[in-house]
Amino acid sequence: EPKMAARMAAARAVRAFAASTPAALGRRAFSTGDPVLKVEQLNGVRTLIYNDPRRLNAWTAKLMHCLRDELTQSAADAEVKAVALTGTDPYYCAGVDLGAMVSKPMWPSALHTLLVAQNTALFAMFLDFPKPLFVGVNGPAIGAAVTSATLGEGVVASEKATFHTPFHALGLVPEGCSSVNFARIMGEQNAQRMLGAEGWKPTAKEAAKAGLVDKAVAHDELRAELQAMAEAWVAAKKPKRLVAAGLLEEYKRVNARESKALADAFLSPSFFEAQAAMATKKGKASRAAMFTAMKLLRPIWGMSLPPK
């Protein structure tokens, strides 16, 4: 009877994951000769490999939809006991491609609503996934690629990996539950170094010492270490880390709160100012002028935004 109850609970978790936020991330099918997401499986561990090196494995619309489809299939497949994520060299993932979240011009209030839904759904993929989830960071990881990695059961980092969360420099705010999770896993000082004005970008060894990742290894040992970590977790029958710690529901609330704050930040004067400065530095005068105009006109169009 306890086993039957456990199986029923697992089935409910799979159904809930498959049904979660379909409108936000969608279920479009993409055809491609060279898949942006490769799939391998060994000893019950399904490895999903970001495979768009030309775009630094950034989460484009295509890659995000493929990732969601594969996670949904993995959640329902009894042969899959755990999932591991890694990337095709040289990058692990350059984070979210904003074009993946905003595909066409829209009124600011509609854009705000969309950004909240998209960001919430993105990290819900990791929070709600019902099976053990591991990450092998094979190279530079940026933004959401860093924060999402810390929501699973374990992270192995190649000696070529670096971790960068440049939210402050971009005029944005922390996401992926990092406003709470970073301090818990590596202390308040290290969390502020990464999330604040310093913009600390730790190497693999520094990240392991700080507690951001579990282990730093030689580059050619990454995949073997990732596989071993996942297999060991499954063999020990360990529960999901956030579930065992009683933090899952709290982190869902944090994700919702951060998503609202991130949408606010994307439409804030400080974001436009940071983007204009960045464009000017890169010699993109027209782009800089666009962001400057958006900042100057914000008092007018900002009246349509929801209150903070």
Side-chain angles (χ1 to χ4, degrees):
E1 197 167 306
K3 290 184 178 180
M4 177 62 74
R7 283 197 294 269
M8 292 176 66
R12 286 195 297 271
V14 169
R15 288 196 298 271
F17 178 77
S20 63
T21 58
L25 285 180
R27 302 237 174 124
R28 295 202 305 267
F30 292 92
S31 60
T32 174
D34 189 16
V36 295
L37 188 69
K38 290 184 176 180
V39 182
E40 298 177 3
Q41 189 159 326
L42 176 66
N43 298 335
V45 179
R46 180 168 291 175
T47 301
L48 307 181
I49 306 166
Y50 303 140
N51 187 45
D52 196 4
R54 188 169 64 87
R55 295 184 175 87
L56 308 180
N57 297 330
W59 281 338
T60 60
K62 181 187 292 187
L63 183 49
M64 284 204 294
H65 286 290
C66 289
L67 177 60
R68 178 175 176 81
D69 285 347
E70 286 297 339
L71 287 176
T72 299
Q73 292 176 29
S74 298
D77 189 340
E79 296 299 315
V80 177
K81 306 303 180 184
V83 166
L85 303 173
T86 191
T88 297
D89 291 341
Y91 268 63
Y92 167 63
C93 177
V96 177
D97 175 4
L98 185 58
M101 304 181 79
V102 183
S103 59
K104 59 183 180 180
M106 60 185 69
W107 193 250
S109 57
L111 176 59
H112 186 278
T113 299
L114 178 64
L115 288 171
V116 172
Q118 293 278 30
N119 198 74
T120 302
L122 172 61
F123 294 105
M125 281 200 303
F126 295 87
L127 292 170
D128 292 335
F129 187 65
K131 296 179 180 180
L133 187 63
F134 302 87
V135 175
V137 183
N138 57 292
I142 301 174
V146 179
T147 58
S148 62
T150 66
L151 298 177
E153 280 49 74
V155 183
V156 183
S158 154
E159 61 195 342
K160 297 183 179 182
T162 55
F163 301 84
H164 194 201
T165 50
F167 307 127
H168 186 276
L170 294 173
L172 298 175
V173 296
E175 35 82 310
C177 302
S178 59
S179 65
V180 173
N181 193 39
F182 271 23
R184 286 179 175 168
I185 62 178
M186 58 178 173
E188 188 65 41
Q189 183 177 0
N190 285 327
Q192 285 306 312
R193 290 187 68 193
M194 286 194 71
L195 298 174
E198 180 182 347
W200 181 42
K201 184 168 67 174
T203 63
K205 287 185 178 180
E206 290 171 334
K209 183 178 180 180
L212 182 67
V213 306
D214 297 281
K215 194 173 185 179
V217 300
H219 188 68
D220 60 2
E221 297 174 0
L222 178 69
R223 290 292 301 275
E225 290 286 350
L226 180 61
Q227 181 75 23
M229 176 182 282
E231 288 189 22
W233 191 284
V234 172
K237 298 181 179 179
K238 292 183 180 180
K240 294 276 291 180
R241 182 176 60 87
L242 294 181
V243 173
L247 296 174
L248 182 58
E249 293 306 316
E250 177 192 352
Y251 276 32
K252 288 182 180 181
R253 293 191 295 271
V254 172
N255 183 31
R257 182 174 69 244
E258 287 180 346
S259 295
K260 168 65 166 58
L262 187 67
D264 290 344
F266 265 121
L267 297 170
S268 69
S270 60
F271 175 71
F272 298 137
E273 186 174 327
Q275 292 299 308
M278 190 178 303
T280 299
K281 187 176 181 180
K282 293 180 179 179
K284 298 181 179 180
S286 60
R287 184 176 177 84
M290 178 190 72
F291 281 112
T292 299
M294 292 175 72
K295 177 187 175 183
L296 293 173
L297 293 173
R298 193 187 184 285
I300 299 173
W301 60 257
M303 292 187 291
S304 70
L305 296 175
K308 292 187 177 181

